[in-house]
Every structure is written in C-alpha cells, then in structure tokens.
C-alpha cells in the first residue's frame, strides 16, 4: 500500500484546491461513488496529512480521466484521518476499473440511508438516583451522534454543573450564523452535505442545527442532561434524561433530506480522530428485504464502525424498522445492533360511537374536542371527484382527496395504507373535526396527529363502517388521550427488524433490545410535532417510536459501562451488555420471533457495569471471521494495514469460532447438526472465583460444555471452554429452537443464548 501512496503523490500540488462538484457539471452516466482503500497508510495516523491523502486520491482519478482538470471536477472528498479512501463522481466503467486496481478494497455507489425518556431508563433498571450518584464518572465520556443535527438551546443540552471539556477532545465546533457556539455539554458540532447532490429543502439549516427533530431526540436520549417535569402537553410527564446525563456530546450532522454514504464516512473519519468514546448511529439502509443485503465493505456504517472498533470505540446501531424476519440491518459483528421494544406504558384514546359502542385506540391525542358529538363519515364516501381523486384515494384520506363539503366539521374514518403517509393531514386540510385511522400491522405504537385522532384495528373499522351504513345520522367522539401503565413488557415492537443476519446467518443479530416505543425526549423547535408539515405546533419534547429511539438507549448504556471501565474494549462493553441482559417472555404476542427479534435480551445497565466475565474480540478475531466469509487476503491487509494470512482450514467454522457472546446455527431442514463453539472468557469480577455452567439445551439438541467449571485465581485471567451441539433429528419445516448457556458464581450470572434456526433452501 505504501508504494501505491508514493506513486499517487506525484499529482501536482497546484491542483489540490478542493472544489465542490455541482450536479450541472456531471455527465449523465456518472454517479457518486465511494472508493474505499482500507486503513491509513501509516501506523501513526498523524503522519498521513490531508494534503498527502488528497494528492494520492486525485492521482488515481487523473489516471482514469487523463487530465488534472477532469480529475479535480470528479473529486468530492478525501477520507484520511481514521481510514483511507475518497468520494468521486464516476461512470460505472470507471468504478469497475478502480475496483480492480491494486490498493483498493471496494468501490460502491453512495447510497441514501434514512434516519430510522421520562420512563424508559427507570424501566431498564437505571433510576435517576443512581445516575446522579454516578455523574462524576461520566464527565470524561464523549458520545458521538451521527444524525440530523441538534437543537442546542434545548434544556437537555444545558451544561450547568459540568467541568472543563476533556483534554482528549480534538474536534471542532463548526459555527454558522444560525449555530453560533457549543458548550460544555455539546462540545463539538459538525455538518456534512457533500453527498446530498441537491439543493437543501426549504427550512433546512446548512449547519449542525436540526430541522427534523430526530437528531435532537436521539442525542438527548443517549446523554441528555436531567430536565425536571418534561412532557408533551402533559403526556409522559417526568424527569427526562439520557443514560449518561453527565457525559459530553459531539454532534455530526450527516442527514439532510437523506443521509449519504459520502457524508456518513466523513463523519466517522472525524469522530474517530476527535476522541469520542462511543458512536451512536440511528441510521440504516432500510429496504424491507427487497434489495440484496450489503457486503460489509460496501456499507459505509460497517466500514466506519470497523475503524472505530480498531481504535477502541464501540458503535451502537439501530436494527432498522422493516419488521419482518430477515430484514435486520447494521449487522456487522463489530457493531452493537439494537432492536426496539416496549415499556410498561401505552397511550390510549377512546373512540365513542352514537350507538353506545366504544373502542380503545392507540394515539397520543393531545386535543379535547369542543363538542360532545360530531357527525361521522367514511372517507371512501367523501371523494373529491372534481380534484381527480378516486374513492380508493379518499378511503385513505390522502391529501386533498376528500370533498370539503362532505367532511367539514365531521370525524372521518380512514384506512391507512402506508404508515409513513398518515391520513390526518388530508382530514385537516378538508376541515374535518377528527380522524379514526384503521391499521393492523403497527398497533403497538402511538402517534401524534394534527387533528383529534385514534388508531384502531381494521376489524374494528369494519364495525364502524357498518354503523355508518346503518343510520342516516352516524355520530362519534374521540376522547383526549390517557396513559395506561403496568402493562406486560418488554415486547418487541412490530416495526423492529428481525434476524437472521443476511450476510452472516450464523451470527445472531440483533444483539440486544432497548426501549424504542413511545419515547419522550428533546425535540427541535424547527420541526413539526407530527409527521405533517402542516402542523405548526412547537414543542420542547416529543414522543416518537423506532429502532432509532432504541439505539441511543443502548448507546447510553454502553457509555454508562465505559464511564466505570474506561480501559474496556468495544467487545468487552458489548459483551457486558449482552450477557447481563434481561430475558424476554417468549410466550407473549410480539415476542414469538424469539432471539431473532430481541437478540440476547433487554439492556440492564446496572448489571452490565459488573458482569463478572466478558468475551473479548479484536480486529484479528474479526479478520479471521471475514476470511471464513471469503474475503481475500489482499483486501484484508489493506483493511487492517497489517499482514493477513487466511487459514486454509477456515470455512463457516470461522464464524462459530469468533469469540462472540451468543451462539447461532442456521441449517437447512435436511441437514444434521454437529457444531462446536470454542469460547474464551476474561475474568473482570473477583480475582478468585469459580463459575459453574448451566445448560438449557434447545429442543431436540444434544449440547455439552467442556469444561463445565471455570476456576479463576486472578483478575483479567482468561479461560477457555468448548460447546458442542449435535442433532440428527430434523424438523419438517421452519423452526426456531432456543436455549442458553449460563455461567454462574454467587451473584454473577453470565448468559449466552444458543439459537438453532431451521430453514428450507
């Protein structure tokens, strides 16, 4: 790799002025690509300057285009601080040529990813009293958040009581006319928009300021300061705070109208260099399982997380919101992949009909209706025909699809076809008094609406339609929302994407679960309270759902562990969270996907700070696994910046030999099982301790562990064991079989799930 860099430094320095390429100057057949070249050339990353990196990258482009001017016009950005690569506008043939060039790991088109509380931290066993006791440990922890930016004036980012900024911090506060400064809570803020390829949308800030709300919400959930009596119009009232309220936050705004690979990688490059301890990424390539899964090194988040791991930084990722089996995203083994679950609280809004029938729907209904009863109409019977809409459009109450003369002042019954296109806006612009929304798949979350509204099941909607058709004057009322507490929980959210991991099926993903349903946290005052841009209400806190909300809970938990153990590796922190997680009740509706839905279980931060044993893994461990996945030695050498030799003995066993805190086998129903999982644990508990193995074997599996007793005599001592799983009896169809291995010693309990998933090829 060094010789490649030296050759590329021949590019004339006169052309090292970085220009912004415009869409107008691009050839129609050119697209924005990432050219990923692995680790930085020198073990000491300070030796590799931006000038040297840019010269190297422009020289490669010059070799393609034949002129310095064309190379400069093609060039977009260099990655040089924490890993090596660049972004450029390329034709498919140029991209293919570069992918076959020595010194390059991968070339891939820059994709567009999407951004995917008062009660939630109490629910996972981390009360406010404990957090305030631990503030002194947290002040040196820096949480980097890649998202839509931040609303810095929020109380959640007040720096009262915080001491000087940690000396390890090397980042910047990128000020603009609308973002004038950082403080001792938000110690750094940057924005990245070279990959957007379009003009900013109306109302967007070309600065670290958040116009969406998503980034403000996630940052405050992870590490927000304590805010007393926070709520959304009285809903979810309590003390809002992050998992580590005494920690510092570094903001990396990578999402504008979307989140480009170019910008995600640039933010990782900076964050790793800046000195963050944990990186939180509530962003993903959510595609519903319709597109091929991403190779690890054609995935900007996996690439960034790998280099973060190499430098001792754990990346916490959202698992995506597609809901189905096999749609989990952000599945790299060196990342923490986080699913979403409920807490023991729901928001309800009762619907009453004129025939004395009532339904309890899901909604954060902040409105009190002025009249006791309103006329009721079905949207499909109130079509705006003159506007060119069909009854199918108006049944979903699409924007402007309703005839105002037929719905004004009435409650409208609407079908919901698309959960990202809520019908309340259509009711609002047509003068409707309220909306009853019928939708089955996502009935476990509550949304806010721009009009009084409630969400009900389709079968309940059919009862309401029958009522409408049975009388000439149907009426209804929608009550203001209420909170129901002490409900069965946690339950995996219906939207939360599930395993298996499509790239490495024998690696259990998601890793862990955290609260992600109806979460209260800080919000941007430039963002609408609801999904409707017509909503002009401004709020300090908002209640939203998603794996995006679960991810910063896990981030906060990881940062909490880091605050007690600043020298722990990313793998050790991840292991502590996974092996101490609270188990789920798999008999509850919503948890039937088992570990494919919830991984090792629900985060338990207090237990995680003292796990007893941890499973360590370093870059070499992951490289061995990648060898078994077919990655070639040349690419892996570039990736690590070190010599790599793949063993000829490695096959899929390389995945099972990764020292991972969970064990997963995916098998065709026609195949017998004989698999071994060698594991090594490190003692981080009492120096002298003895652990006894307890096996809960998956149904029909013969499972043994050798040895079944581990006796430690010192701190940080390592001991190994081997798990053998065998079965010659196979099911007739798909089956998920669950078990666990638990090492116990006094109050310590270190649990690893064992999962066997049978599929039909």
């Amino acid at each position: 790799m060094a010789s490649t860099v030296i050759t590329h430094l021949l590019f004339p320095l006169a052309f090292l002025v970085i220009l912004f390429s415009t869409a107008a100057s691009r050839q129609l057949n050119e697209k924005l690509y990432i050219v990923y070249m692995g680790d930085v050339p020198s073990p000491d990353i300070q030796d590799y300057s931006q000038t040297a990196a840019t010269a190297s990258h422009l020289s490669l482009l010059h070799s393609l285009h034949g002129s310095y001017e064309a190379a400069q016009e093609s060039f977009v950005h260099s990655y040089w601080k924490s890993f090596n690569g660049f972004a450029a506008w390329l034709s498919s043939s140029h991209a293919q040529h570069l992918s076959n060039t020595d010194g390059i790991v991968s070339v891939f088109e820059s994709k567009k990813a999407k951004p995917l509380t008062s009660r939630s931290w109490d629910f996972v066993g981390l009360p406010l009293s404990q957090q305030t006791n631990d503030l002194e440990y947290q002040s040196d922890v820096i949480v980097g958040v890649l998202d839509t930016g931040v609303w810095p004036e929020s109380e959640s980012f007040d720096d009262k009581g915080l001491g000087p900024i940690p000396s390890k911090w090397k980042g910047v506060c990128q000020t603009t006319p609308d973002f004038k400064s950082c403080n001792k809570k938000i110690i750094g803020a940057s924005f990245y928009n070279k990959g957007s390829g379009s003009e900013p949308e109306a109302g967007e800030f070309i600065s670290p300021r958040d116009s969406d709300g998503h980034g403000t919400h996630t940052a405050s959930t992870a590490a927000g300061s304590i805010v007393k009596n926070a709520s959304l119009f009285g809903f979810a009232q309590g003390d809002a705070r992050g998992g580590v309220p005494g920690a510092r936050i570094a903001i990396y705004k990578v999402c504008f109208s979307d989140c480009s690979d170019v910008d995600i990688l640039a933010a990782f490059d900076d964050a790793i260099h800046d000195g963050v301890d944990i990186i939180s990424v509530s962003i993903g390539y959510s595609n519903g399982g319709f597109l091929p899964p991403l190779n690890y090194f054609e995935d900007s988040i996996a690439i960034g997380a790998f280099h973060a791991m190499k430098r001792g930084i754990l990346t916490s990722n959202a698992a995506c919101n597609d809901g189905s089996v096999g749609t989990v995203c952000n599945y790299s083994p060196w990342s923490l992949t986080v699913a979403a679950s409920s807490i023991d609280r729901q928001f309800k809004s009762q619907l009453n009909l004129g025939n004395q029938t009532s339904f309890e729907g899901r909604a954060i209904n902040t409105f009190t209706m002025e009249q006791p009863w309103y006329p009721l109409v079905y949207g499909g019977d109130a079509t705006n025909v003159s506007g060119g809409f069909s009854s199918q459009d108006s049944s979903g109450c699409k924007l402007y699809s309703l005839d105002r003369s037929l719905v004004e002042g009435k409650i409208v019954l609407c079908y919901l076809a698309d959960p990202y296109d809520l019908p309340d806006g259509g009711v609002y612009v047509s003068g409707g008094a309220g909306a009853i929304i019928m939708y089955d798949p996502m009935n476990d979350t509550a949304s806010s609406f721009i009009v009084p509204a409630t969400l009900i099941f389709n079968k309940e909607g059919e009862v309401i339609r029958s009522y409408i058709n049975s009388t000439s004057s149907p009426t209804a009322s929608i009550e203001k929302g209420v909170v129901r507490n002490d409900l069965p929980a946690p339950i995996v959210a219906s939207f939360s994407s599930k395993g298996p991991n499509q790239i490495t099926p024998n690696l259990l993903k998601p890793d862990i679960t955290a609260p992600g349903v109806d979460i209260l946290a800080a919000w941007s005052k430039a963002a609408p309270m609801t999904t409707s841009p017509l909503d002009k209400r401004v709020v300090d806190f908002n209640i939203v759902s998603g794996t995006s909300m679960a991810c910063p809970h896990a981030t906060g938990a990881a940062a909490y562990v880091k605050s007690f153990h600043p020298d722990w590796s990313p793998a050790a922190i991840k292991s502590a969270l996974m092996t101490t997680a609270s188990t789920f009740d798999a008999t509850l509706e919503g948890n039937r996907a088992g570990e494919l839905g919830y991984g090792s279980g629900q985060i338990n931060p207090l237990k995680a700070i003292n796990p007893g044993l941890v499973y360590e893994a370093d870059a070499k461990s992951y490289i061995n696994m990648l060898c078994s996945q077919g990655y070639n030695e040349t690419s892996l050498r570039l990736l690590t910046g070190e010599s790599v030799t793949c063993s000829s003995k490695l096959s899929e066993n390389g995945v099972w030999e990764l020292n991972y805190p969970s064990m997963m086998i995916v098998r065709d129903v026609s195949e017998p099982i004989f698999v071994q999982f060698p594991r090594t644990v490190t003692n981080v508990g009492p120096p002298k301790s003895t652990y006894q193995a307890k096996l809960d074997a998956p149904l029909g599996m013969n499972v043994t562990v050798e040895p079944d007793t581990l006796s430690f005599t010192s701190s940080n001592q390592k001991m190994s064991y081997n798990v053998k799983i065998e079965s010659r009896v196979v099911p007739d169809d798909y089956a998920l079989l669950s078990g666990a291995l638990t090492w116990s010693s006094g109050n310590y309990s270190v649990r690893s799930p064992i999962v066997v998933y049978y599929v039909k090829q």
Side-chain angles (χ1 to χ4, degrees):
M1 187 170 192
S3 61
T4 303
V5 172
I6 291 170
T7 301
H8 294 161
L9 288 177
L10 297 176
F11 195 94
L13 295 179
F15 286 88
L16 293 185
V17 178
I18 299 176
L19 303 176
F20 288 95
S21 301
T22 63
S25 67
R26 305 267 48 85
Q27 299 295 321
L28 292 178
N29 65 341
E30 288 184 332
K31 295 180 179 179
L32 190 55
Y33 281 85
I34 306 291
V35 181
Y36 173 53
M37 303 170 70
D39 207 357
V40 289
S42 170
D44 180 0
I45 62 175
Q46 300 300 323
D47 291 345
Y48 191 50
S49 69
Q50 183 176 16
T51 300
T54 305
S56 167
H57 302 152
L58 285 170
S59 184
L60 273 171
L61 291 171
H62 174 248
S63 69
L64 284 179
H65 296 291
S67 78
Y68 300 138
E69 291 82 359
Q72 184 69 66
E73 187 178 82
S74 171
F75 175 81
V76 174
H77 185 82
S78 274
Y79 309 109
W80 62 277
K81 295 178 180 177
S82 308
F83 47 87
N84 187 16
F86 61 95
W89 292 94
L90 301 170
S91 65
S92 59
S93 60
H94 281 161
Q96 181 62 42
H97 178 80
L98 282 176
S99 69
N100 295 323
T101 301
D102 289 345
I104 291 176
V105 176
S106 60
V107 179
F108 56 96
E109 187 178 339
S110 176
K111 300 169 292 300
K112 304 293 186 181
K114 289 290 183 183
L116 288 157
T117 142
S118 57
R119 171 65 185 146
S120 55
W121 286 113
D122 288 317
F123 182 71
V124 297
L126 188 57
L128 177 61
S129 58
Q130 185 68 47
Q131 289 176 307
T132 53
N133 289 340
D134 299 334
L135 289 177
E136 62 179 297
Y137 298 106
Q138 301 168 16
S139 63
D140 282 338
V141 176
I142 304 172
V143 177
V145 181
L146 276 62
D147 214 296
T148 66
V150 71
W151 192 262
E153 293 83 7
S154 169
E155 284 186 82
S156 290
F157 308 116
D158 190 338
D159 65 355
K160 183 179 179 180
L162 290 176
I165 292 171
S167 58
K168 65 184 176 183
W169 173 247
K170 294 184 289 185
V172 300
C173 184
Q174 196 171 356
T175 59
T176 66
D178 61 55
F179 196 98
K180 297 187 181 302
S181 66
C182 296
N183 62 11
K184 289 184 287 185
K185 168 56 91 171
I186 300 176
I187 61 172
S190 302
F191 67 95
Y192 307 82
N193 64 339
K194 290 184 180 180
S196 61
S198 61
E199 292 297 317
E201 294 184 353
E204 182 57 87
F205 300 107
I206 308 304
S207 77
R209 185 172 290 278
D210 180 14
S211 65
D212 180 88
H214 190 274
T216 301
H217 198 281
T218 58
S220 63
T221 300
S225 301
I226 300 165
V227 181
K228 297 287 187 180
N229 296 315
S231 72
L232 174 65
F233 293 113
F235 287 87
Q237 187 162 6
D239 297 331
R241 79 273 189 187
V244 276
R248 318 308 176 111
I249 300 173
I251 297 295
Y252 300 89
K253 180 177 176 179
V254 298
C255 300
F256 287 78
S257 58
D258 49 39
C259 323
S260 166
D261 277 341
V262 170
D263 300 322
I264 292 170
L265 275 174
F268 265 109
D269 193 23
D270 284 345
I272 296 166
H273 171 269
D274 290 345
V276 304
D277 295 293
I278 306 287
I279 295 176
S280 189
V281 186
S282 289
I283 300 168
Y285 306 99
S286 185
N287 61 55
F290 299 114
L291 297 176
L294 294 174
N295 176 303
Y296 291 127
F297 298 116
E298 293 181 355
D299 178 341
S300 64
I301 297 173
I303 291 169
F306 182 87
H307 290 281
M309 174 274 300
K310 280 197 67 185
R311 288 165 177 81
I313 304 164
L314 176 64
T315 300
S316 173
N317 292 126
C320 278
N321 298 333
D322 292 312
S324 304
V325 169
T327 60
V328 66
C329 71
N330 293 323
Y331 35 65
S332 65
W334 44 83
S335 297
L336 181 67
T337 307
V338 188
S341 60
S342 64
I343 61 174
D344 57 349
R345 176 186 70 191
Q346 288 185 353
F347 300 100
K348 301 283 190 176
S349 180
Q350 183 162 306
L351 165 67
N352 302 311
L353 302 181
N355 64 357
Q356 299 187 343
T357 302
S358 296
F359 301 97
E360 189 173 61
R362 291 293 305 271
I364 306 164
N365 181 24
T366 61
F367 299 96
T368 299
M369 302 193 80
E370 295 179 356
Q371 301 170 201
W373 296 98
Y374 288 80
L376 175 63
V377 64
Y378 168 53
D381 296 333
T383 308
N384 178 10
V385 177
S386 63
F389 292 94
S390 67
S391 60
Q392 183 176 355
D393 295 326
S394 64
S395 68
C397 302
K398 291 185 176 180
L399 208 60
Y400 305 113
S401 68
L402 297 169
D403 186 330
R404 188 179 186 91
S405 67
L406 298 177
V407 302
E408 189 168 15
K410 299 178 181 179
I411 292 175
V412 187
L413 176 65
C414 312
Y415 280 105
L416 176 59
D418 182 352
Y420 299 100
D421 185 18
L422 296 175
D424 55 320
V427 174
Y428 175 80
V429 298
S430 301
I436 304 166
I437 303 167
M438 304 163 57
Y439 190 62
D440 275 350
M442 288 171 58
N443 54 64
D444 54 352
T445 63
S447 296
S448 300
F449 302 97
I450 196 172
V451 295
T454 194
L455 189 70
I456 61 170
F457 291 108
N458 285 339
K459 64 181 181 180
E460 296 170 334
E462 293 304 323
V463 173
I464 297 169
R465 282 196 67 185
S466 297
Y467 164 63
I468 291 172
N469 294 330
S470 70
T471 176
S472 59
S473 301
T475 58
S477 66
I478 302 172
E479 296 183 12
K480 185 176 180 178
V482 295
V483 179
R484 300 277 188 252
N485 293 311
D486 301 320
L487 298 169
I491 295 174
V492 177
S494 60
F495 58 77
S496 188
S497 288
K498 298 165 182 67
N501 177 344
Q502 293 294 299
I503 289 290
T504 311
N506 290 310
L507 187 79
L508 179 61
K509 290 285 179 171
D511 291 306
I512 204 161
T513 309
V517 175
D518 300 341
I519 303 301
L520 177 80
W523 199 247
S524 167
K525 289 192 175 183
M529 178 186 134
T530 64
T531 57
S532 173
L534 302 170
D535 195 345
K536 303 304 179 186
R537 289 174 292 176
V538 174
V539 295
D540 294 315
F541 292 85
N542 206 354
I543 299 170
V544 291
S545 299
T547 55
S548 281
M549 286 62 250
C551 171
H553 277 91
T555 303
Y560 187 67
V561 175
K562 182 77 172 179
S563 71
F564 285 89
H565 305 286
D567 59 339
W568 276 15
S569 69
I573 295 171
K574 179 176 172 178
S575 171
L577 291 171
M578 292 173 65
T579 60
T580 62
S582 303
T583 56
F584 276 68
D585 182 351
T587 66
L588 291 176
E589 189 68 31
N591 292 342
R592 301 290 175 81
E595 288 84 356
L596 296 181
Y598 49 72
S600 295
Q602 174 113 316
I603 58 168
N604 189 329
L606 275 182
K607 281 191 175 181
I609 63 175
N610 197 9
L613 304 175
V614 294
Y615 293 85
E616 285 281 13
D618 56 13
K620 185 177 180 180
S621 304
Y622 298 118
I623 291 300
N624 286 338
M625 190 218 78
L626 293 172
C627 284
S628 74
Q629 297 278 282
Y631 289 80
N632 66 67
E633 293 176 354
T634 301
S635 293
L636 295 177
R637 278 196 293 272
L638 292 170
L639 177 68
T640 63
E642 301 170 1
S643 177
V644 173
T645 301
C646 288
S647 170
S648 59
K649 297 179 181 180
L650 286 173
S651 58
E652 66 178 343
N653 293 341
V655 177
W656 293 321
E657 291 172 3
L658 178 65
N659 201 37
Y660 214 69
S662 59
M663 290 170 264
M664 175 86 173
I665 302 170
V666 176
R667 271 290 186 263
D668 186 271
V669 294
S670 64
E671 297 177 345
I673 290 174
F674 183 80
V675 174
Q676 297 190 57
F677 292 91
R679 292 291 187 267
T680 298
V681 288
T682 302
N683 180 26
V684 294
K688 293 184 178 181
S689 52
T690 298
Y691 287 81
Q692 190 68 42
K694 178 186 175 183
L695 275 169
D696 176 17
L699 184 66
M701 299 289 129
N702 179 29
V703 183
T704 59
V705 56
E706 295 179 0
D708 61 3
T709 301
L710 301 175
S711 296
F712 295 91
T713 58
S714 62
S715 296
N716 297 313
Q717 182 182 355
K718 298 181 184 294
M719 296 194 74
S720 298
Y721 66 88
N722 190 57
V723 174
K724 295 180 182 179
I725 302 177
E726 185 175 8
S727 177
R728 299 190 184 280
V729 179
V730 297
D732 296 327
D733 207 338
Y734 300 92
L736 178 71
L737 308 175
S738 300
L741 167 64
T742 304
W743 291 99
S744 299
S745 176
N747 293 327
Y748 293 96
S749 183
V750 185
R751 183 180 182 275
S752 293
I754 301 172
V755 183
V756 179
Y757 185 49
Y758 282 105
V759 297
K760 278 188 174 181
Q761 299 294 347

